[in-house]
Amino acid sequence: MPYMPAFVAPTRFTDPAAALAQVQRIYDGGLAHLRDSMQRFVAGESLPGRVRACYPFVRVHTHTNTRHATPATAGLSYGFVAGPGRYETTLTRPDLFARYYEDQFRLLLANHNTELEIGTSTQPIPVHFSFAENDHIEGTLNPERRALMRDVFDLPDLGAMDDGIANGTHVTHPGEAEPLALFTASRVDYSLHRLRHYTGTAPHWFQNFVLFTNYQFYIDEFVRLGHEAMADEASEYIAFVEPGNVVTHRRGLKPGQAGAFADALNAMQGTPPGRLPQMPAYHLVRGDYGGITMVNIGVGPANAKTITDHVAVLRPHAWIMLGHCAGLRNTQQLGDYVLAHAYVREDHVLDEELPLWVPIPALSEIQLALEQAVADVTGCRGAELKSIMRTGTVASTDNRNWELLPGNEPQRRFSQSRAVALDMESATIAANGFRFRVPYGTLLCVSDKPLHGEIKLPGMANHFYRERVEQHLRIGMRAIDILRAEGTTRLHSRKLRSFAEVAFQ
């Protein structure tokens, strides 16, 4: 028999806060058991059997298609199950997801006039996912002891963390519960660890609005604006966080203003990394998680898929791509903006998960916010606005040197698609937003026109960067201000939901 903490039988709740507290008790008990056992194992002790702790779960039963929607829940595209049946999901990190979980519990209770069951699941918590932040005690093990870990502890099981639910390919077998969420607990934990690795910051710093870019120039400007905000006692942001979890507090921050980040702000003592991680992240933090995270994903669709695969488990309200692109029309000028309303997907990294025949629609809420932001920041309106910003199709390719292919085949395809711009990341970010039900948008800036002889030369590039990067970034940040002010529930529209969708946002 496995050496386990006490099993917690399913208990029924009608109060979302009480249900969340039970999730926290089960999870904390499991982690304490695993951490204590791991410390003893590292110290050389022989443990009394295979060590195991399991995730908590939430379950809901419904017996009718009728929803008890209230005015507060009637317009939402989430918060309810598809029909009669049994639905459940495993849960992790209730400290990180407390607000999110409690909101989902509240909506389920309101929509179905039923009870929630909280208990211990049968899905083991991999011991690697039990380590505290920056806790790597397994690194002190000798090779023989490290090999023995497999016989004593549960390690990550990739078979329990695939994306079948999100991809729409999951099949529920007879006797099984239908899923309540897109991601199982172990899939979430896996991504939280990947986010630390790739971005160099802890997951709890990530904000609900995310900007992606493919150039360091944007990050440099974001860092400047972040420190500028921290010097302003009237700023809506309370902290600026850089890789290595280096935290700069806002000047004059008063007790009670830090919200959910109070303990982290007091406890975190970050250290600048010796070298930047692969996709460094920077966070302008608000006390309600409504701030802005910016990630330099570098160049290419592989990075774009990797980072969005993992950011998606945090369930952000929106992510937006701000970057450079090749202008494909002779009428475009360097520095013009392109607002993507369609995508040609030649990135190939998502073809298996999201077939090419699946359309990736533009989302009106994001489109309108980006267009309004361009107008607000540039001061242009009407015909003048159209002269500097074109709405059109963006093509994304995985071949950086597409211009060198013989026969001009890519050029012909891009012309047939009516594409107005080309990059390597935007279609991937939009497609993964569609796949994971995360609202998405793209605003690019023309930095070269390879079909018309205007390639990136050092002098042109330097002038372009000075002229446009600050403005482009301010447009992205202004768009987030607009989206936040309009209310985030509008963003999670039915356009991103399938026929029989999971209940969790």
Side-chain angles (χ1 to χ4, degrees), residues 407-425:
N408 288 323
E409 282 298 325
Q411 180 178 337
R412 184 177 297 113
R413 290 196 303 275
F414 299 148
S415 177
Q416 289 175 316
S417 71
R418 312 299 193 268
V420 299
L422 176 78
D423 77 347
M424 299 185 70
E425 301 86 22

Side-chain angles (χ1 to χ4, degrees), residues 332 335-340 367 370-375 378 380 382-392 442-444 475:
Q332 291 170 306
D336 283 356
Y337 295 115
V338 175
L339 176 60
Q367 298 295 97
L370 283 169
E371 183 174 358
Q372 181 63 49
V374 175
T378 65
C380 297
E384 188 180 10
L385 180 63
K386 290 180 185 260
S387 72
I388 65 164
M389 185 187 74
R390 182 158 187 168
T391 301
T442 300
L443 183 72
L444 301 176
I475 289 169

Side-chain angles (χ1 to χ4, degrees), residues 280-348:
Y282 302 77
H283 314 276
L284 260 175
V285 177
R286 279 173 45 124
D288 60 356
Y289 282 92
I292 304 172
T293 288
M294 190 165 199
V295 185
N296 181 4
I297 62 175
V299 177
N303 277 2
K305 178 184 183 298
T306 296
I307 196 64
T308 48
D309 278 350
H310 301 313
V311 172
V313 306
L314 299 174
R315 309 314 298 144
H317 292 316
W319 60 42
I320 296 173
M321 175 66 188
L322 299 179
H324 296 165
C325 66
L328 300 180
R329 302 301 178 91
N330 196 34
T331 53
Q332 291 170 306
Q333 303 296 320
L334 299 187
D336 283 356
Y337 295 115
V338 175
L339 176 60
H341 73 180
Y343 301 89
V344 175
R345 295 170 51 200
E346 293 202 0
D347 52 340
H348 302 301

Side-chain angles (χ1 to χ4, degrees), residues 98 170 210 225 231-232 286 302 304 318 352 401 412 478 494 497:
H170 172 79
V210 183
L225 293 175
D232 179 6
R286 279 173 45 124
E352 291 184 19
N401 297 312
R412 184 177 297 113
R478 173 61 185 146
R494 291 180 176 85
R497 314 290 282 183

